[in-house]
Amino acid sequence: MKTRIEVQFNNNNVNVADIEKAVKEDIKAQEIRINSLANIDIYFKPEDGSIYYVATKKDDTTVENKEALHV
């Protein structure tokens, strides 16, 4: 079974999978391997489409974005 989740706000639809993909691409652009991460916390602000994240690596260091991502 596949699940598709969309956030709807002010006539805008954003697929949650697209948010996750944008975050993972940003992390990879920093030359960090996704399999080196223990978890990723993603924060989406639908009012302006901003995406922020904090990723914790397996060695307990963190990676985060300073500027918002958008999809």
Side-chain angles (χ1 to χ4, degrees):
M1 174 185 88
K2 288 189 176 187
T3 302
R4 178 182 162 133
I5 301 172
E6 283 194 0
V7 177
Q8 297 179 334
F9 185 82
N10 283 347
N11 297 322
N12 292 320
N13 295 343
V14 178
N15 189 315
V16 173
D18 294 339
I19 295 170
E20 183 178 357
K21 181 179 177 184
V23 168
K24 288 181 178 179
E25 286 176 358
D26 191 67
I27 291 170
K28 288 177 185 177
Q30 296 179 52
E31 298 184 3
I32 297 169
R33 295 177 57 118
I34 296 299
N35 64 0
S36 72
L37 301 177
N39 66 317
I40 305 172
D41 296 323
I42 300 173
Y43 307 94
F44 175 63
K45 296 174 64 178
E47 62 272 10
D48 62 4
S50 299
I51 304 167
Y52 296 93
Y53 65 86
V54 177
T56 305
K57 295 171 77 176
K58 292 177 183 174
D59 65 2
D60 288 328
T61 58
T62 59
V63 178
E64 59 187 71
N65 60 324
K66 303 295 184 200
E67 293 187 27
L69 303 175
H70 294 88
V71 289

